[in-house]
């Protein structure tokens, strides 16, 4: 074993324990874990106690161990994201009319959006989008669409967690830089049903975004369609906003959301 591999032996042992519990025919006892994994009894008991405390393992009535519910929470989150991305691409496959646009899917993480899926158009946008990219949420159409999808209490909580003093410098002269402007923008998005990035991320690039909702109506993600400012004259703003809204509605429907 290399030196780098030996720096976190407790974590490696914990993973081995999880694998063992998962594959066991019946919930193993602490003594079984120590024996099968060749661990000192004190080490096995210590690891099992902490893993139980953290919800990674649960003790059965026979004093054996089974996988804990925290793992189900993690698995559910991974499954949710995988389902979201697959449904996004499924809907795109049915929409040949969107080939002129770059279409992106983002999720809100703190004060940023992270891009989890993307289909680029053949048109040169002047900016590239890629999976894993992060941008400040307040400058993006998808980020503001997700903020507008929050209830008032959740939005106030988000503002409290991300005060204006921590906001990044605008990326272009059009970038939102005050709470007053953001609050007004969120109200407009709620009213019209879509968000507009009017060259806030990149000069010469416009984006129209709408929120994707899960089965409970929670704003889970944001879908954006982007095009160069030079192409904007071919469409009306309302039409492009409607395209983004209907695309988000189609993905939301496939995720189980039913509008009242």
């Amino acid at each position: 074993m290399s030196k780098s591999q030996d720096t976190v032996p407790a974590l490696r042992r914990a993973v081995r324990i999880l694998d063992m519990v998962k594959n066991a025919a019946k919930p193993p006892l602490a003594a079984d874990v120590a024996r099968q994994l060749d661990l000192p009894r004190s080490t096995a008991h210590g690891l099992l106690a902490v893993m139980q405390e953290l919800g990674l393992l649960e003790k059965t009535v026979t004093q054996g161990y089974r996988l804990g519910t925290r793992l189900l929470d993690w698995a559910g989150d991974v499954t949710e994201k995988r389902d979201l991305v697959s449904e996004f691409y499924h809907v795109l496959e049915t929409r040949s009319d969107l080939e002129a646009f770059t279409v992106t899917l983002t999720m809100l993480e703190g004060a940023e959006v992270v891009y989890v899926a993307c289909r680029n158009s053949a048109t040169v946008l002047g900016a590239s989008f890629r999976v894993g990219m992060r941008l400040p949420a307040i400058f993006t159409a998808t980020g503001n669409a997700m903020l507008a999808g929050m209830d008032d209490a959740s939005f106030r909580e988000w503002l409290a967690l991300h005060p204006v003093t921590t906001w990044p410098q605008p990326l272009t002269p059009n970038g939102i830089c005050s709470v007053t402007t953001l609050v007004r923008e969120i109200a407009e998005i709620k009213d019209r049903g879509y968000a507009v990035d009017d060259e806030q991320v990149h000069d010469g690039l416009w984006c129209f975004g709408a929120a994707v909702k899960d089965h409970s109506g929670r704003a889970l993600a944001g879908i954006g369609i982007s095009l160069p400012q030079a192409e904007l004259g071919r469409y009306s703003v309302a039409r492009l906003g409607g395209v983004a809204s209907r695309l988000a509605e189609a993905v939301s429907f496939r995720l189980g959301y039913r509008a009242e």
Side-chain angles (χ1 to χ4, degrees), residues 1 14 34 40 51 85-86 97 111 163 181 191 200 231 236:
M1 180 180 292
M51 293 172 73
V85 171
S86 63
D97 59 314
T181 303
D191 183 56
Q200 293 191 53
E231 298 289 320
S236 70

Short mmCIF file of all heavy atoms in Angstrom, two decimals, residues 1 14 34 40 51 85-86 97 111 163 181 191 200 231 236:
data_model
loop_
_atom_site.label_atom_id
_atom_site.label_comp_id
_atom_site.label_asym_id
_atom_site.label_seq_id
_atom_site.Cartn_x
_atom_site.Cartn_y
_atom_site.Cartn_z
N MET A 1 0.84 -1.19 0.00
CA MET A 1 0.00 0.00 0.00
C MET A 1 0.88 1.24 0.00
O MET A 1 1.85 1.32 0.73
CB MET A 1 -0.91 0.00 1.24
CG MET A 1 -1.84 1.21 1.31
SD MET A 1 -2.89 1.16 2.78
CE MET A 1 -3.93 -0.24 2.39
N ALA A 14 -14.09 1.71 6.99
CA ALA A 14 -15.54 1.96 7.01
C ALA A 14 -16.19 1.50 5.71
O ALA A 14 -17.27 0.89 5.72
CB ALA A 14 -15.81 3.44 7.26
N ALA A 34 -15.19 -7.94 12.90
CA ALA A 34 -13.78 -7.97 13.32
C ALA A 34 -13.07 -9.17 12.74
O ALA A 34 -11.93 -9.06 12.24
CB ALA A 34 -13.70 -7.98 14.84
N PRO A 40 -8.84 -5.47 14.84
CA PRO A 40 -8.89 -5.59 16.30
C PRO A 40 -10.33 -5.33 16.77
O PRO A 40 -11.01 -4.46 16.21
CB PRO A 40 -7.94 -4.51 16.78
CG PRO A 40 -7.03 -4.25 15.62
CD PRO A 40 -7.86 -4.45 14.40
N MET A 51 -20.26 4.78 12.92
CA MET A 51 -21.06 4.62 11.71
C MET A 51 -22.55 4.54 12.04
O MET A 51 -23.39 5.03 11.29
CB MET A 51 -20.60 3.37 10.95
CG MET A 51 -19.18 3.52 10.37
SD MET A 51 -18.53 1.99 9.66
CE MET A 51 -19.50 1.90 8.16
N VAL A 85 -31.34 14.49 -15.45
CA VAL A 85 -30.53 14.63 -16.66
C VAL A 85 -31.08 13.76 -17.79
O VAL A 85 -31.18 14.20 -18.94
CB VAL A 85 -29.06 14.28 -16.36
CG1 VAL A 85 -28.25 14.20 -17.65
CG2 VAL A 85 -28.45 15.32 -15.42
N SER A 86 -31.46 12.53 -17.48
CA SER A 86 -31.96 11.64 -18.53
C SER A 86 -33.27 12.16 -19.10
O SER A 86 -33.50 12.08 -20.32
CB SER A 86 -32.14 10.21 -17.97
OG SER A 86 -33.12 10.18 -16.95
N ASP A 97 -36.83 21.67 -33.06
CA ASP A 97 -36.93 23.12 -33.23
C ASP A 97 -35.95 23.88 -32.34
O ASP A 97 -35.81 25.10 -32.46
CB ASP A 97 -38.35 23.60 -32.95
CG ASP A 97 -38.81 23.25 -31.54
OD1 ASP A 97 -38.60 22.09 -31.12
OD2 ASP A 97 -39.37 24.13 -30.86
N ALA A 111 -24.73 29.86 -3.66
CA ALA A 111 -24.87 31.09 -4.44
C ALA A 111 -24.54 30.88 -5.91
O ALA A 111 -24.51 31.85 -6.67
CB ALA A 111 -23.98 32.18 -3.86
N PRO A 163 -25.55 37.39 1.67
CA PRO A 163 -25.73 38.84 1.68
C PRO A 163 -24.96 39.51 0.55
O PRO A 163 -23.99 38.94 0.01
CB PRO A 163 -25.17 39.26 3.05
CG PRO A 163 -24.22 38.16 3.41
CD PRO A 163 -24.81 36.90 2.85
N THR A 181 -32.43 45.44 -6.94
CA THR A 181 -32.56 45.03 -8.33
C THR A 181 -32.93 43.55 -8.43
O THR A 181 -33.78 43.15 -9.24
CB THR A 181 -31.26 45.28 -9.10
OG1 THR A 181 -30.92 46.66 -8.99
CG2 THR A 181 -31.40 44.91 -10.57
N ASP A 191 -44.00 36.90 -12.30
CA ASP A 191 -45.16 37.41 -13.03
C ASP A 191 -45.21 36.88 -14.46
O ASP A 191 -46.27 36.47 -14.94
CB ASP A 191 -45.13 38.94 -13.04
CG ASP A 191 -46.34 39.54 -13.72
OD1 ASP A 191 -47.47 39.22 -13.29
OD2 ASP A 191 -46.18 40.31 -14.68
N GLN A 200 -25.65 39.34 -19.08
CA GLN A 200 -25.09 39.46 -17.74
C GLN A 200 -23.92 38.50 -17.53
O GLN A 200 -23.04 38.77 -16.71
CB GLN A 200 -26.16 39.20 -16.68
CG GLN A 200 -27.26 40.25 -16.63
CD GLN A 200 -28.14 40.10 -15.41
OE1 GLN A 200 -27.66 40.04 -14.28
NE2 GLN A 200 -29.44 40.01 -15.64
N GLU A 231 -28.61 37.25 -33.11
CA GLU A 231 -29.72 36.42 -33.60
C GLU A 231 -31.04 36.80 -32.96
O GLU A 231 -32.09 36.28 -33.34
CB GLU A 231 -29.42 34.94 -33.31
CG GLU A 231 -28.19 34.39 -34.01
CD GLU A 231 -28.40 34.26 -35.50
OE1 GLU A 231 -29.50 33.84 -35.92
OE2 GLU A 231 -27.47 34.59 -36.26
N SER A 236 -39.08 37.16 -30.86
CA SER A 236 -39.50 38.10 -29.83
C SER A 236 -39.05 37.56 -28.48
O SER A 236 -38.89 36.34 -28.30
CB SER A 236 -41.02 38.28 -29.82
OG SER A 236 -41.66 37.10 -29.35
#
